[in-house]
Amino acid sequence: MGDTLQHLGEGFGVALAPINLLLGLIGSFIGTVVGMLPGLGPINGVAILMPLAFALKLPPESALILLTAVYIGCEFGGRISSILINVPGDAGAIMTAVDGYPMAVKGQAGVALSISAWSSFIGSFVAFIGIVLAAPLLARWALAFGPAEYFALMCFAFACITGLMGDAPMKAVLAAVLGLALSTVGLDSNSGVYRFTAGSVHLSDGIQFVVVVIGLFSVSEVLLMLEQHLVQAPPIRAIGRNLFNRAEMALTWWGTVRSSVLGFVVGVLPGAGATIASAMAYTMEKRLCDTEGTFGKGDIRGVAAPEAANNASANGSFVPMLTLGVPGSGTTAVMVGALSLYNITPGPALFTQQPTLVWGLIASMAVCNVLLLIMNIPMIGLFTRMLALPNWILVPGILAISAVGVYAIHATTFDLVLMVVLGIVGYLLRKAGVPMAPLILGFVLGDMMEQNLRRALSITNGELGILWESPISIGLWVGVATMLLLPPVYRRLSRRRAAAAAA
């Protein structure tokens, strides 16, 4: 522990150097802006700045601090568009929209933004402590996860969707199945067969996440806004206070801490990602706290929990990258590429060969986290004023940002047409009461689930027993059964209690 604290002190010396502090501030601001723009996300933000950092001939620790600040800033910024316009900035912010946007509709956008910033800070801080204290231990534990364990984890994540189903479980199942179906479109990487492309070369690479999320969320939201305008529904306005109070902080505190720990543990697993972490955290809090059925209708606890887990997972994804050389997320995969530009190979030897680089990077996470909190809280008033814009400005603005984000992928009009088609489908599904969160989760996790199942079965030549061989897999399958069986049992008991009370 003494050596760890000594290295950490040296790391803070690196992170607080004037040039690195300035780079952290610039990266945090850029990350926040990129994160709040739907369709860009942390991978694009880091990928855009990586060649710039190398071209400026920044030393490796400074370049990594800049890219880390952008990454963490994007996770902070993703909540803004989720809360204000119901369009997640990235996949990790999907769950934030479930309660964040209803809070904005009720005139509590400022409270939602401030509590989400605070919970993001707590999540990142808990992950920072976890990285310092337990990185080697957690990295060894993550090595125990093979393809069978990851497949069981994906199934557990889908079982957790039952927590989002509420009173319409079949609609949520339908949404998840649609998401899985969309994830199968394109070239099968194992067999080389084109699946469900209808002969179109534009679908050979599959449907891009940006197109799906912007179509189903952004375009459908614009259609709903236009419909409300036509029927003269009351517009959303940013009213009330911009900061949460002590009572709201106390209400969300333990949920934030629980979700932060859960998010960090999930983040350590390579490839698991913030999407799974935020979904599991939201489901956990809904199970534990939603005694009055307020989750999904603007409950502040439903905003704090996924944001804490999202940011803790993003920070936790650095553990496998630094200790194993295995990227914990898509963004850290890009950062591994940045290390390769400097002829640095991440892995266990990195802690002994490049201690200044490693501990400077770890310390910069804490520094950037503080910078982001200081930066985001005063800007809440500016963010909430976006809601005061009239629809004739807001609607074209949302569509313009969405179209630019989609067109930037392949520079084809086909993606724009597909975005509009998916937007109309999303509008019809939302009008029918079908939730969008399970659909997006199905789309994001579908490919990972399929690939891990295939890898597991290839090890045993198709023998299914490998899927429940290890203790970890057995534990996850028990969790799947529990998550699937408890909700109907609970609903049946609730109906019986209600009938007994009425009698």
Side-chain angles (χ1 to χ4, degrees):
M1 177 58 82
D3 290 341
T4 298
L5 292 177
Q6 179 183 350
H7 287 310
L8 184 61
E10 294 172 356
F12 273 109
V14 173
L16 294 174
I19 180 63
N20 292 334
L21 193 61
L22 177 62
L23 289 172
L25 182 63
I26 293 172
S28 298
F29 178 77
I30 292 174
T32 301
V33 174
V34 170
M36 69 180 287
L37 294 175
L40 292 181
I43 294 180
N44 290 315
V46 171
I48 290 169
L49 282 182
M50 181 178 67
L52 178 63
F54 185 71
L56 292 174
K57 298 183 178 180
L58 294 175
E61 58 270 18
S62 298
L64 275 184
I65 287 173
L66 173 64
L67 299 180
T68 300
V70 173
Y71 183 18
I72 300 175
C74 284
E75 300 299 337
F76 257 79
R79 77 193 203 284
I80 297 171
S81 56
S82 288
I83 292 170
L84 295 184
I85 58 176
N86 200 27
V87 182
D90 61 11
I94 291 170
M95 303 314 304
T96 307
V98 175
D99 278 282
Y101 184 67
M103 285 187 70
V105 171
K106 294 191 293 187
Q108 298 175 339
V111 176
L113 286 169
S114 60
I115 199 67
S116 60
W118 171 249
S119 59
S120 295
F121 172 79
I122 296 297
S124 296
F125 183 75
V126 168
F128 167 74
I129 298 297
I131 292 172
V132 172
L133 297 180
L137 174 65
L138 288 171
R140 286 196 296 272
W141 175 69
L143 278 175
F145 270 70
E149 286 77 15
Y150 275 113
F151 176 73
L153 179 65
M154 299 299 118
C155 292
F156 181 70
F158 276 107
C160 286
I161 295 176
T162 59
L164 309 175
M165 292 181 178
D167 298 326
M170 293 311 297
K171 290 181 178 179
V173 170
L174 171 64
V177 170
L178 285 174
L180 283 171
L182 288 174
S183 72
T184 62
V185 175
L187 180 67
D188 180 6
S189 57
N190 290 289
S191 65
V193 174
Y194 289 98
R195 303 186 297 188
F196 311 115
T197 59
S200 173
V201 68
H202 298 289
L203 292 175
S204 58
D205 287 337
I207 304 175
Q208 300 298 313
F209 171 76
V210 172
V211 178
V212 174
V213 75
I214 289 183
L216 292 177
F217 280 94
S218 181
V219 177
S220 67
E221 186 62 36
V222 164
L223 293 174
L224 288 172
M225 290 171 65
L226 292 174
E227 181 188 34
Q228 292 172 356
H229 179 73
L230 290 174
V231 300
Q232 296 182 340
I236 302 171
R237 288 292 178 262
I239 59 175
R241 51 203 166 82
N242 285 335
L243 293 175
F244 58 89
N245 54 35
R246 289 184 180 180
E248 290 162 340
M249 179 181 175
L251 180 66
T252 60
W253 174 250
W254 288 114
T256 298
V257 173
R258 282 192 298 266
S259 300
S260 300
V261 174
L262 173 65
F264 175 66
V265 172
V266 173
V268 170
L269 302 174
T275 307
I276 296 177
S278 59
M280 291 174 66
Y282 185 89
T283 303
M284 177 178 68
E285 289 307 302
K286 184 177 173 70
R287 295 264 184 242
L288 293 175
C289 306
D290 191 18
T291 56
E292 300 176 0
T294 54
F295 272 57
K297 302 175 183 176
D299 193 310
I300 193 171
R301 294 168 294 184
V303 176
E307 273 304 304
N310 176 21
N311 285 266
S313 176
N315 284 264
S317 66
F318 281 90
V319 172
M321 184 193 87
L322 293 174
T323 58
L324 303 175
V326 178
S329 66
T331 309
T332 51
V334 176
M335 297 184 73
V336 169
L339 285 173
S340 68
L341 293 176
Y342 291 93
N343 295 318
I344 297 173
T345 303
L350 196 61
F351 280 80
T352 55
Q353 295 175 356
Q354 300 273 357
T356 303
L357 174 74
V358 172
W359 290 102
L361 172 62
I362 293 173
S364 73
M365 296 180 190
V367 173
C368 292
N369 196 29
V370 174
L371 291 174
L372 282 163
L373 184 67
I374 295 173
M375 185 187 305
N376 274 261
I377 294 295
M379 294 175 68
I380 287 172
L382 175 63
F383 295 145
T384 53
R385 287 193 189 96
M386 290 171 56
L387 294 178
L389 292 173
N391 280 350
W392 61 270
I393 295 178
L394 195 58
V395 168
I398 294 173
L399 284 177
I401 294 173
S402 300
V404 169
V406 168
Y407 190 77
I409 304 171
H410 291 143
T412 65
T413 54
F414 178 84
D415 287 340
L416 294 175
V417 174
L418 184 59
M419 174 191 75
V420 174
V421 172
L422 288 173
I424 295 172
V425 172
Y427 167 77
L428 296 175
L429 289 174
R430 291 172 72 174
K431 291 293 290 181
V434 177
M436 290 293 101
L439 195 158
I440 297 296
L441 286 172
F443 180 78
V444 171
L445 301 182
D447 183 62
M448 296 168 58
M449 188 176 185
E450 179 186 5
Q451 295 303 322
N452 281 292
L453 175 61
R454 284 182 161 183
R455 291 190 192 109
L457 294 180
S458 67
I459 294 172
T460 59
N461 292 322
E463 175 58 47
L464 292 174
I466 191 175
L467 298 179
W468 47 81
E469 234 173 36
S470 71
I472 296 175
S473 295
I474 293 171
L476 288 168
W477 286 118
V478 170
V480 169
T482 303
M483 296 299 291
L484 290 176
L485 294 175
L486 276 183
V489 171
Y490 178 77
R491 282 193 292 269
R492 183 172 296 179
L493 290 175
S494 298
R495 284 196 295 267
R496 285 184 179 177
R497 287 197 198 102

